[in-house]
Each structure stands twice: as structure tokens, then as C-alpha cells.
Amino acid sequence: MASAASAPPTPNNLKRIVAASLIGTTIEWYDFFLYGSAAALVFNKLFFPDSDPLVGTLLSFLTYAVGFAARPLGALVFGHYGDRLGRKKLLVLSLLLMGGATFAIGLLPTHATVGTAAPVLLTVLRLVQGFALGGEWGGAVLLVSEHGDARRRGFWASWPQTGAPAGQLLATGVLSLLTAVLSDTAFGSWGWRIPFLLSGVLVIVGLWIRLSVDESPVFKKALAQAEARRAARAGTAEKLPVVSVLRHHWRDVLVAMGARMAENISYYVITAFILVYATTSAGVSKQAALNSVLIASAVHFAVIPAWGALSDRVGRRPVYLLGAVGVGAWMFPFFSLVDTGGFGNLVLAVTVGLVLHGAMYAPQAAFFSEMFATRMRYSGASIGAQFASVAAGAPAPLIATALLADYGSSTPIALYVIAAAVLTVVAVGVAQETRHRDLTDVEPATTPAAETGSAAHSPAADARTV
């Protein structure tokens, strides 16, 4: 029987919580993806003008990858305080950091104005973006997962995941509109700044909505019980959440990292690298490439909740495995379609790729949330997701661009994604199914004494505690 803490909230309250998480994640992903699109289209000329065009693109993607390098640090810091102070407070902070950094990018002087200081400043702001996003994802999905109806957790928790395609849709849409109405000279001179400056308005809207929701009831109950245990032990402190995660959930962290490989790598190859490949190797116009990602992102947004609902019926693992196998199998047809240079084929290639990606991304929120204990869930889910991004999404466009430069062919890029898919299939294949778990029961088999490092043992040592 579900506990009171896990009882379904009222429909209106749950919808407000889902909306708050979705809008916040949309804004943060808009900021993050906007940088990726700009890195592929204009940053090579604005911040690395002395380089060969393809080398400039590589350097541009290198600053793009730097943002991923900061995400594990964000996961550690936000996870720690999110497990100690609550999900809501940290989500507000992450939104402020991300929005502020993005707005500042829109004000940056270029290389032509301040020389080498321009790419340095760009890199610093990208680090802030990555730090903020590293803490955003875990809090957003947990706020919904810990509020939602356990029977439909996969569906409800998948809605914050739609923030990624929604942010991609918004970022690509704004850039596509600007490139359509502005000349290349005007866009390269000042037009590229507009979507970054718009982030300031979006952040105000996101904060207004996020501040209106309540803290997770599951977390509040766990916090109250933890405080009662500390009082009973005369103030003995609990171990840091990250220490508890690595002690009790290290296998789950490895599973989450492996599960992220195909999902993360395929996404950035399909949405970011494709802007380079389609325009340089397939002879597609910049506008057509942006529009193909725009259309595919709309479909991606629509299918994610459907995949999440399916995971409630058949389990997280089967849906995730379907996506990993599908993405791997699609890579050679994907590049073959893009190579034709036809807009319809380009749309088909990107859309099918993102639909298959959605089968991994949709159940991921519930899957990762269900792996970890309440008092270490923010840390566990964030560490598993964000540490993987350093090896997966961070270098994906960079590796793909380097492979293209070295081999002049899409074949090694397709094999790169297929290898990631194999790794994900192995990781998810050895994982346990989590669909039926009550989040208030997914706790480490420890005693309070064990949590504080004491050697004491009691008959309750094998009981699950909040």
C-alpha cells in the first residue's frame, strides 16, 4: 500500500508541478541548445576567425564541450544541497544561473573587438551554463516523480524531459526565423545576439512559475525522519549524500552512466553535428538544416509522453532497450538520407532519429529516480546522468566533426554511435526493472548507525529506511 507521502496529489496540483518543471527545463535547455546551434553556425567566425573554417568549428564545439565538463560539478553541488535543503530552492538557483549566463553571452564582445579575451569570456560563461544545467535535470524530474501517481510515474516524469525538445524547438525556431529575415551580414553582426538576450525575459517567466509550487512531499517526510534520527543520536551528522550514493548505489550509478551513452551521443549527433554535416558535406542550406531540426523537435516533443506512458505498461527497460537498438540501427540510413541533399529526406532522417531517441529519454526520468533512496536521490540521479555526459554528449559533436575532417565520410561517425548503443544495451540489460517501486521504499539497506559510520549493528540493519 502506498504511504501518504506517495499518495497521488490532486490533478490540478500535479499539473501545476509538471508545468513548473516543464517550463523551467524548457528555458534551461533553450539556453543550452542555443549555444550549440550558434557554435555550429556563427561562433567559429565571431570568436575564432583566424582559423580554417572546419578548425574554427572544432574550436567552437570545444567551448561547447566545456559546458559539459562543468555539469558533474553542478550535479555534485546541487545534488548535495538538493538532498539536504530540498528540490525547489536549488531549481530556482539553477534557473537564475543559466539565464544570467545566457543573457551575458548576448552582450559579449567578439574577437574583432577584444581579441583573445572574447573566447575566454565565452568559455567562462559556458562553464556557468554547464554548472547550472548539471543541477537542473535531477531536481526537475524528481519534483515531478516524487509528487506523481506511482502507477503513471513514467508518463508524468517524462514531461520535464520534453523540456529538451521544447528548448531545442524554441532555440532553433528563433535562429531559423532570424536567419530567414536577416542577411548573413546582419545576423553575423548583431542578429545572433537577440536569442541570447531573450533569455532574460524567459527566466522571469520561469521563476514566477517555479516559485509557486510546493516542495516534494516524499522529500519533506524523509527530511523530517532524518532530523528525528539526528536528534535521537544527539546531533550526530549523517554522511554526505554523495558518500552514501557511492556506498549503497554505485551499481545504479554505473547503470545510469551506461544508459546515458547512446541517448546522449545520438542526440547531439542528430541535432548539433547535423547542422555542420548537412551544410558542409551534403550541400544543404543553413536554413534547411535548421528547419529539419525544428520539425523533428516538434515530433520529438509529442512522442516523449507516449513513450513514458508505454514504460508504465511494459516497464522502463524494454522501452529503453528499444530506443538504444533502434538508434544504433538507424545510423547508416540516417546519413544515407542526409547525403541525398533533399529536404524531405533530411527531415525524415532527423525525425526518425529523435523518435527513437525519445524511447530512451522518456523513461529515463522515472528509471533513474526509482534507482535511488530519497535522501540521496538528487545526488544519485544527477551524478549518474551528468558524469556520463562528460564522456557522451560533451565530445560527441567534437568527435563527429574530427572524424569527418579525418575521413571525409559518415561511416566512422555511424560506427561511433553504434558503439555507444551497444554499451547502453549492455548497461540497461543488466539493470533491474524499477517500474513497480514505491519511491518511499527505495532506500539503502542500512541502519542509522551505518549512515554515520558507526560500527554498531542492530536487527533492523537489513530494513529499508527513509
Side-chain angles (χ1 to χ4, degrees):
M1 181 179 296
S3 67
S6 60
T10 63
N12 288 338
N13 187 42
L14 180 55
K15 290 176 182 177
R16 186 172 68 250
I17 293 161
V18 170
S21 291
L22 170 58
I23 291 172
T25 53
T26 296
I27 293 169
E28 297 226 18
W29 282 115
Y30 164 82
D31 292 346
F32 204 75
F33 289 142
L34 181 61
Y35 189 103
S37 297
L41 297 173
V42 295
F43 280 178
N44 58 332
K45 300 174 184 176
L46 295 173
F47 293 94
F48 308 99
D50 297 331
S51 304
D52 172 84
L54 196 55
V55 173
T57 301
L58 280 168
L59 292 173
S60 184
F61 274 141
L62 186 59
T63 62
Y64 174 75
V66 162
F68 287 84
R71 283 165 71 168
L73 179 59
L76 289 172
V77 174
F78 279 81
H80 171 82
Y81 288 103
D83 282 328
R84 290 294 179 91
L85 304 177
R87 291 40 169 140
K88 177 180 172 179
K89 295 182 180 70
L90 276 298
L91 284 173
V92 170
L93 178 60
S94 70
L95 189 60
L96 285 171
L97 285 173
M98 175 66 86
T102 305
F103 186 82
I105 289 174
L107 300 175
L108 273 184
T110 63
H111 188 279
T113 305
V114 296
T116 55
V120 171
L121 292 171
L122 181 68
T123 302
V124 170
L125 292 174
R126 183 60 175 172
L127 283 168
V128 176
Q129 280 191 324
F131 178 78
L133 192 61
E136 160 68 22
W137 182 84
V141 300
L142 292 189
L143 197 63
V144 176
S145 295
E146 293 179 344
H147 272 93
D149 180 355
R151 293 171 301 176
R152 303 185 68 197
R153 186 180 297 127
F155 171 74
W156 289 117
S158 70
W159 279 101
Q161 300 291 77
T162 64
Q168 179 77 69
L169 189 66
L170 188 58
T172 307
V174 172
L175 284 172
S176 181
L177 176 63
L178 289 171
T179 56
V181 300
L182 295 176
S183 66
D184 287 345
T185 301
F187 182 77
S189 176
W190 56 268
W192 67 272
R193 298 181 182 276
I194 294 175
F196 288 93
L197 297 176
L198 281 176
S199 179
V201 178
L202 296 176
V203 166
I204 293 173
V205 175
L207 283 175
W208 175 69
I209 294 172
R210 268 201 176 162
L211 288 170
S212 69
V213 301
D214 295 327
E215 182 56 81
S216 154
V218 172
F219 173 79
K220 288 193 287 188
K221 179 181 178 182
L223 180 61
Q225 293 184 2
E227 290 174 347
R229 289 199 300 268
R230 281 198 297 271
R233 298 194 304 268
T236 304
E238 290 183 301
K239 286 192 173 183
L240 297 177
V242 65
V243 174
S244 297
V245 166
L246 297 178
R247 178 180 179 184
H248 301 292
H249 289 291
W250 61 269
R251 291 182 183 87
D252 295 318
V253 169
L254 292 178
V255 166
M257 292 177 67
R260 284 276 281 171
M261 288 299 164
E263 178 268 307
N264 220 217
I265 289 172
S266 65
Y267 188 80
Y268 290 104
V269 167
I270 292 169
T271 60
F273 170 72
I274 195 61
L275 298 178
V276 175
Y277 183 82
T279 54
T280 61
S281 296
V284 176
S285 69
K286 185 187 302 183
Q287 187 67 42
L290 284 168
N291 286 343
S292 68
V293 175
L294 189 67
I295 295 168
S297 293
V299 177
H300 195 210
F301 179 92
V303 300
I304 285 177
W307 286 123
L310 183 62
S311 78
D312 286 326
R313 288 180 170 271
V314 303
R316 317 299 183 214
R317 291 173 68 250
V319 177
Y320 212 115
L321 288 170
L322 174 64
V325 172
V327 161
W330 183 243
M331 277 301 101
F332 280 111
F334 172 81
F335 283 108
S336 295
L337 287 168
V338 175
D339 286 338
T340 66
F343 179 69
N345 286 340
L346 181 60
V347 171
L348 177 62
V350 179
T351 300
V352 173
L354 288 184
V355 168
L356 293 169
H357 170 270
M360 293 182 284
Y361 199 55
Q364 189 179 97
F367 190 31
F368 289 7
S369 298
E370 290 158 350
M371 289 181 182
F372 299 98
T374 300
R375 288 285 285 155
M376 60 190 79
R377 186 171 292 133
Y378 202 143
S379 295
S382 296
I383 290 169
Q386 303 307 332
F387 272 69
S389 69
V390 176
L398 190 65
I399 290 173
T401 303
L403 290 172
L404 179 62
D406 287 345
Y407 295 95
S409 168
S410 62
T411 298
I413 304 167
L415 292 174
Y416 166 53
V417 178
I418 291 169
V422 171
L423 182 57
T424 291
V425 168
V426 172
V428 177
V430 301
Q432 294 182 348
E433 179 56 59
T434 62
R435 173 167 59 116
H436 296 297
R437 290 180 180 173
D438 185 330
L439 292 185
T440 60
D441 290 338
V442 186
E443 305 296 337
T446 65
T447 62
E451 276 299 295
T452 59
S454 169
H457 183 76
S458 75
D462 295 325
R464 294 185 182 273
T465 57
V466 176

